[in-house]
């Protein structure tokens, strides 16, 4: 199709220097007739953001701290680029909800992505959601914002994109079609390692994912299977399912990205090479399909596709997904906050790999959110802050022993 007469979609990428953000720019570079970069943001990699701004010349760029923003402004001025630099958390919400933005790629890692995701949802944007924490923390409140704002919510996690691709566009028929869904998990780098040896795991070992190239935090989550726990929670809200309708199976090859089991026991699966550009391209072009840059799947070279049950002894954090979904409202926000603190502590060498679950489980025992706090963003962020304080105290206790 000739898109030369079409107005290009203006895209805001929240977290453009991470793996999802970089892959989004890669896909967009293949379709410059369809997409233009309106705004970019980064957390700390100001040098990478500068290079992206020089290449793409967005209208806006955002950094969280004044010193970083000043450095970026000076670099852009020297390069002759007229991108306007903004700073602070509120700026993320402003660019996500900007009236000239058509699509928002939400790829900020962690609870920090909740507010700009809410802003994009309320503004009725095409919201490409790679920030699973927006749903893990926001849950019902976030989905309410999507409905009331008239936003188009498109999942970018490979597993949720796979489920979405297996379902018809008419969401009203999903409930009558689905018996349950099956999220696949690679099992991470320690799938065959003796659980008793995990106390000695180093951050570099935990970040060495066998199939996917991801950031360090998400890579650690994959090693503990906490990423899959968060995906279970995300799937509950994306597809309006009960906890019992969500299952997980280990699939080491990461070829089948997830499956829908229909009421007649037919199974619909989405397959492809493990490349995030596929779900990104689908989100950008939905309901069309565009070239993504990913390699084609060669069935003649697939020796086998393996499946294994998820071992809750090896991956105790996975069970916390169903526990929190069935528990007190807001418990999923507590779990997410605790895990962010615990993973950061492990990456900094403060606690051992096998202590991450200890921090998460004990924080859930310590913090009991109230239902009223879950009714607004401020309340959810207060739960998040309370859980972080509790987790940090636990980390301090483990470090001192």
């Amino acid at each position: 199709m000739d898109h030369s007469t079409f107005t290009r979609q203006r895209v805001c990428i929240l977290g453009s220097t991470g793996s999802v953000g970089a892959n989004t720019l890669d896909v967009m570079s293949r379709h410059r007739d369809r997409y233009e970069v309106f705004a970019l943001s980064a957390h700390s990699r100001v040098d990478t953001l500068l290079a992206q701004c020089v290449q793409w010349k967005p209208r806006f760029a955002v950094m969280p701290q004044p010193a970083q923003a000043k450095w970026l402004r000076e670099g852009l001025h020297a390069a002759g680029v007229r991108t306007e630099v903004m700073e602070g958390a509120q700026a993320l919400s402003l660019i996500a909800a900007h009236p000239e933005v058509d699509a928002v790629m939400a790829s900020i890692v962690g609870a920090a992505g909740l507010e700009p995701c809410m802003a994009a949802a309320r503004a009725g944007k095409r919201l490409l959601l790679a920030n699973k924490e927006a749903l893990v923390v926001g849950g019902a409140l976030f989905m309410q914002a999507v409905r009331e704002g008239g936003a188009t919510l498109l999942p970018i996690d490979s597993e949720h994109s796979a489920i979405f691709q297996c379902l018809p566009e008419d969401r009203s028929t999903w409930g009558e079609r689905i018996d349950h869904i099956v999220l696949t998990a690679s099992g991470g780098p320690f799938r065959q390692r003796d659980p008793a040896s995990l106390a000695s795991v180093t951050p570099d070992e935990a970040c060495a994912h066998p199939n996917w190239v991801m950031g360090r935090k998400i890579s650690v989550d994959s090693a503990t299977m906490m990423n899959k726990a968060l995906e279970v929670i995300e799937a509950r809200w994306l597809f309006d399912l009960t906890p019992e309708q969500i299952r997980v199976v280990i699939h080491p090859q990461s070829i089948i990205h997830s499956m829908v089991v229909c009421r007649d026991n037919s199974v619909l699966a989405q397959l492809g090479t493990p490349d995030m550009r596929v779900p990104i391209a689908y989100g950008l072009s939905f309901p069309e399909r565009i070239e993504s840059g990913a390699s084609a799947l060669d069935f003649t070279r697939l020796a086998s596709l393996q499946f294994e049950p998820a071992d809750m002894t090896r991956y105790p954090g996975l069970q916390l997904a169903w526990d929190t979904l069935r528990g007190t409202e807001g418990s999923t926000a507590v779990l997410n906050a605790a895990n962010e603190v615990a993973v950061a502590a492990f990456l900094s060498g403060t606690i051992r790999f096998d202590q991450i679950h200890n921090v998460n489980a004990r924080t859930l025992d310590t913090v009991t959110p109230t239902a009223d706090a879950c009714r607004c963003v401020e309340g959810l962020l207060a739960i998040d802050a309370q859980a972080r304080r509790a987790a940090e105290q636990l980390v301090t206790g483990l470090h001192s022993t």
Side-chain angles (χ1 to χ4, degrees):
M1 182 182 293
D2 180 10
H3 294 279
S4 60
T5 59
F6 287 68
T7 301
R8 292 188 297 170
Q9 285 191 49
R10 293 171 293 253
V11 181
C12 167
I13 305 177
L14 304 174
S16 64
T17 61
S19 60
V20 172
N23 277 312
T24 301
L25 290 172
D26 181 85
V27 173
M28 290 175 63
S29 71
R30 302 165 189 275
H31 305 278
R32 288 179 179 266
D33 60 325
R34 296 184 61 132
Y35 308 105
E36 64 178 275
V37 175
F38 184 83
L40 300 173
S41 81
H43 176 64
S44 60
R45 298 172 63 185
V46 64
D47 52 343
T48 303
L49 184 59
L50 173 60
Q52 291 176 341
C53 289
V54 169
Q55 179 182 359
W56 290 91
K57 298 176 176 58
R59 178 91 65 86
F60 299 103
V62 177
M63 290 298 298
Q65 301 299 327
Q68 298 168 322
K70 181 176 182 292
W71 193 96
L72 182 60
R73 286 190 191 97
E74 292 172 351
L76 289 171
H77 178 74
V81 177
R82 301 177 64 181
T83 296
E84 180 179 341
V85 179
M86 304 169 70
E87 60 194 57
Q90 186 59 35
L92 295 173
S93 295
L94 290 175
I95 61 171
H98 195 286
E100 294 184 49
V101 165
D102 299 305
V104 176
M105 168 58 78
S107 56
I108 294 174
V109 175
L114 175 60
E115 288 190 282
C117 284
M118 291 286 289
R122 289 171 177 148
K125 303 301 183 184
R126 172 186 284 251
L127 180 53
L128 284 62
L129 190 66
N131 172 272
K132 59 176 64 68
E133 292 84 0
L135 278 167
V136 173
V137 177
L141 188 68
F142 179 76
M143 293 305 296
Q144 179 183 349
V146 169
R147 290 190 299 270
E148 293 178 353
T152 301
L153 184 61
L154 299 164
I156 300 301
D157 274 350
S158 61
E159 296 81 2
H160 302 97
S161 177
I163 299 296
F164 186 79
Q165 292 181 56
C166 289
L167 294 170
E169 288 184 35
D170 184 359
R171 292 173 182 256
S172 67
T173 67
W174 289 1
E176 64 193 38
R177 290 171 178 265
I178 300 174
D179 181 80
H180 64 277
I181 66 171
V182 180
L183 302 178
T184 57
S186 69
F190 308 133
R191 181 175 64 89
Q192 296 179 310
R193 182 160 168 168
D194 181 359
S197 71
L198 296 180
S200 62
V201 164
T202 67
D204 285 345
E205 287 177 314
C207 292
H209 195 281
N211 299 336
W212 298 91
V213 178
M214 305 179 291
R216 287 174 72 80
K217 193 271 181 182
I218 299 174
S219 295
V220 174
D221 282 346
S222 180
T224 62
M225 283 276 276
M226 273 303 303
N227 72 318
K228 206 57 53 178
L230 299 178
E231 287 170 12
V232 168
I233 297 167
E234 186 181 5
R236 178 264 176 270
W237 295 108
L238 277 172
F239 306 111
D240 194 23
L241 301 171
T242 65
E244 293 73 25
Q245 287 180 288
I246 308 167
R247 303 176 191 178
V248 172
V249 65
I250 303 296
H251 171 47
Q253 292 79 21
S254 296
I255 296 298
I256 295 178
H257 297 303
S258 278
M259 296 170 274
V260 175
V261 180
C262 301
R263 291 185 181 273
D264 61 0
N265 282 330
S266 296
V267 180
L268 308 177
Q270 188 265 335
L271 287 71
T273 52
D275 192 321
M276 282 303 299
R277 290 177 295 180
V278 173
I280 289 168
Y282 187 68
L284 284 169
S285 64
F286 175 82
E288 298 178 48
R289 298 271 182 171
I290 59 174
E291 194 268 326
S292 67
S295 301
L297 188 63
D298 184 351
F299 286 94
T300 65
R301 301 184 65 181
L302 293 179
S304 65
L305 296 178
Q306 299 170 259
F307 300 94
E308 305 165 5
D311 183 351
M312 297 298 179
T313 301
R314 183 180 299 275
Y315 308 112
L318 183 57
Q319 182 59 46
L320 296 179
W322 290 277
D323 293 345
T324 53
L325 283 173
R326 296 181 182 120
T328 304
E329 187 176 7
S331 295
T332 56
V334 174
L335 174 60
N336 178 74
N339 186 62
E340 287 189 24
V341 170
V343 171
F346 165 67
L347 287 172
S348 68
T350 306
I351 65 172
R352 301 192 312 265
F353 178 83
D354 63 333
Q355 292 176 319
I356 294 174
H357 174 67
N358 184 303
V359 172
N360 293 343
R362 289 176 62 188
T363 303
L364 284 168
D365 290 339
T366 303
V367 179
T368 303
T370 64
D372 287 345
C374 300
R375 302 292 181 263
C376 63
V377 173
E378 294 76 15
L380 288 169
L381 293 178
I383 294 171
D384 178 84
Q386 181 186 3
R388 287 175 190 277
R389 289 192 297 270
E392 286 164 357
Q393 289 178 353
L394 290 167
V395 165
T396 299
L398 287 170
H399 182 57
S400 63
T401 57

